[in-house]
């Protein structure tokens, strides 16, 4: 079984994914971290030095590589479902879970780590929430294809992963 966590930046994919994998005895794969290690570059540097198109190619390749692993929880970058046929493939080879939250909530969570998000780092603080909400709206058609949608707004990663476990036990 493969579980793919999808959703916008700040929705808790990595923290929830780690907890979920530990509880299920699955391995945990973080696509961004995988790319950083493979390229020996932080994502922000990769965007600067090679551009977004190269990052999206590497992201696509990393997602395809997960299909040769079993029993894993995969945390994907916020844009992953939108590029190539990533969403369709993840749907086919795994169970996709959308951690959903609105921009204002995500923006406040990202306050201290904006510098590491190249798509957000250069925005003025007054532009941030609108930019994020527009991008969430543009991506919604992809996110909403997920098998399971979870409202992530008020839930800590601990509660979110419990909710996913409960859903899996009844599915
Ligand atoms: C991106 C999200 C980031 C990272 C890159 C692009 C996006 O991952 O992949 O900065 O397009 O939303 P997180 O969602 O883990 O922050």
């Amino acid at each position: 079984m493969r579980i793919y966590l999808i959703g916008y930046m700040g929705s808790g994919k990595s923290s929830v994914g780690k907890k979920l994998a530990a509880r299920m005895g699955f391995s945990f794969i973080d696509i961004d971290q995988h790319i950083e290690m493979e390229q020996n570059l932080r994502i922000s540097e990769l965007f600067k030095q090679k551009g977004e198109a190269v990052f999206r190619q590497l992201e696509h390749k990393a997602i395809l590589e997960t299909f040769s692993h079993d029993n894993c929880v995969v945390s994907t970058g916020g844009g992953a479902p939108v590029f190539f046929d990533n969403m369709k493939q993840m749907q086919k080879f795994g169970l996709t879970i959308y951690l959903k939250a609105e921009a204002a909530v995500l923006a406040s969570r990202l306050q201290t780590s904006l510098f590491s998000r190249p798509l957000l780092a250069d925005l003025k603080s007054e532009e941030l929430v609108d930019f994020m909400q527009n991008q969430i709206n543009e991506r919604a058609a992809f996110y909403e294809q997920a098998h399971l949608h979870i409202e992530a707004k008020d839930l800590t990663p601990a509660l979110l992963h419990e909710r996913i476990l409960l859903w899996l036990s009844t599915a």
Side-chain angles (χ1 to χ4, degrees), residues 67-98:
F67 304 148
S68 60
H69 295 268
D70 203 4
N71 294 339
C72 56
V73 177
V74 182
S75 159
T76 63
V82 176
F83 290 87
F84 305 100
D85 58 350
N86 292 341
M87 190 63 196
K88 199 167 140 210
Q89 297 285 346
M90 291 189 284
Q91 294 283 88
K92 181 169 164 200
F93 288 100
L95 176 77
T96 49
I97 302 179
Y98 173 27

Side-chain angles (χ1 to χ4, degrees), residues 7-10 13-14 32 43 47 55-56 59 76-79 116-119 135 139:
Y8 200 71
M9 293 177 258
K13 295 162 296 194
S14 298
D32 281 351
I43 299 293
F47 266 67
F55 169 76
R56 296 301 173 191
E59 180 176 60
T76 63
S116 66
R117 263 72 178 202
L119 297 179
Q135 203 165 40
R139 293 175 172 182

Side-chain angles (χ1 to χ4, degrees), residues 26-89:
F26 281 16
S27 46
F28 173 65
I29 303 171
D30 184 307
I31 297 290
D32 281 351
Q33 227 173 51
H34 173 90
I35 297 171
E36 289 186 331
M37 277 159 58
E38 187 190 67
Q39 297 294 309
N40 200 22
L41 274 179
R42 308 299 291 180
I43 299 293
S44 49
E45 275 306 305
L46 185 58
F47 266 67
K48 266 190 217 142
Q49 293 182 20
K50 304 192 179 177
E52 181 174 353
V54 169
F55 169 76
R56 296 301 173 191
Q57 289 280 358
L58 293 167
E59 180 176 60
H60 179 56
K61 181 167 98 39
I63 288 172
L64 297 182
E65 282 169 13
T66 63
F67 304 148
S68 60
H69 295 268
D70 203 4
N71 294 339
C72 56
V73 177
V74 182
S75 159
T76 63
V82 176
F83 290 87
F84 305 100
D85 58 350
N86 292 341
M87 190 63 196
K88 199 167 140 210
Q89 297 285 346

